Amino acid sequence: MTTGATVWLTGLPSAGKTTIAYELAGQLRADGHRVEVLDGDEIREFISAGLGFSREDRHTNVRRIGYLAELLARNGVLALVPVIAPYADSREAVRKRHQESGTAYLEVHVATPVEVCSERDVKGLYAKQAAGELSGLTGVDDPYEAPEAPDLRIESQHQSVEESAASVFTLLSERGLA
């Protein structure tokens, strides 16, 4: 059986989390690994429908995703989780769940500055917030608690998607997980 693990990619909206996760998934699948990408937007649509963006709802969403990731990981899947998870205590609860089950967990901070994220604005969220059509945007008018000691920090504005994915692949290899 292959070793599973959860790789949680946290960062601001439009930081590059999902793009890096899908690039990495392709590399890992090419090497014969079982991989699932738990995209935060898809999870909200199918598993966390009905939750809003209050602190409590965000915590519930992260815990649900953490449960699913740990379930997959302990069954030999590399679960790549590109989810903002803005609060440190929510991410810590997910890490503890993994520790308690003896399941590998890596936190990757995609530390793209808000100015770069707002230029990328993949979903138009920053434009909507600037126009007053949206409030509660993480990192702008809602808090984002950056990880103090992630397993890896990526500054995606200084490297290509391929280089970012390769750095996560290297971390997985160094930990005996890829």
Side-chain angles (χ1 to χ4, degrees), residues 5-112:
T6 294
V7 179
W8 198 288
L9 296 101
T10 179
L12 297 173
S14 297
K17 303 175 298 297
T18 303
T19 305
I20 294 167
Y22 279 108
E23 177 68 24
L24 177 60
Q27 292 175 14
L28 290 166
R29 285 186 184 114
D31 281 355
H33 294 279
R34 294 171 47 199
V35 180
E36 289 295 333
V37 176
L38 301 179
D39 181 288
D41 292 333
E42 292 176 5
I43 296 290
R44 272 205 175 266
E45 181 179 351
F46 296 106
I47 294 176
S48 293
L51 289 180
F53 292 91
S54 68
R55 184 180 181 101
E56 182 179 327
D57 282 357
R58 288 177 192 242
H59 182 69
T60 298
N61 187 48
V62 168
R63 286 185 48 233
R64 287 178 183 176
I65 297 168
Y67 169 79
L68 182 56
E70 191 273 329
L71 181 67
L72 288 167
R74 80 173 125 101
N75 284 285
V77 175
L78 290 172
L80 308 181
V81 186
V83 173
I84 296 169
Y87 303 112
D89 61 340
S90 297
R91 294 190 307 267
E92 185 57 28
V94 172
R95 180 185 296 276
K96 283 183 181 175
R97 174 177 195 82
H98 282 72
Q99 288 171 340
E100 289 168 2
S101 69
T103 306
Y105 176 86
L106 301 173
E107 183 177 70
V108 176
H109 180 205
V110 183
T112 310

Side-chain angles (χ1 to χ4, degrees), residues 134-151:
L134 173 77
S135 63
L137 182 59
T138 303
V140 178
D141 60 354
D142 207 55
Y144 176 75
E145 299 169 357
E148 292 181 18
D151 296 284

Side-chain angles (χ1 to χ4, degrees), residues 103-160:
T103 306
Y105 176 86
L106 301 173
E107 183 177 70
V108 176
H109 180 205
V110 183
T112 310
V114 69
E115 300 79 22
V116 174
C117 294
S118 67
E119 289 172 14
R120 291 177 180 171
D121 204 9
V122 178
K123 299 173 196 161
L125 299 175
Y126 293 93
K128 287 179 183 174
Q129 193 276 334
E133 300 168 12
L134 173 77
S135 63
L137 182 59
T138 303
V140 178
D141 60 354
D142 207 55
Y144 176 75
E145 299 169 357
E148 292 181 18
D151 296 284
L152 177 65
R153 192 175 315 275
I154 294 173
E155 294 182 358
S156 70
Q157 73 276 18
H158 297 307
Q159 57 191 36
S160 69

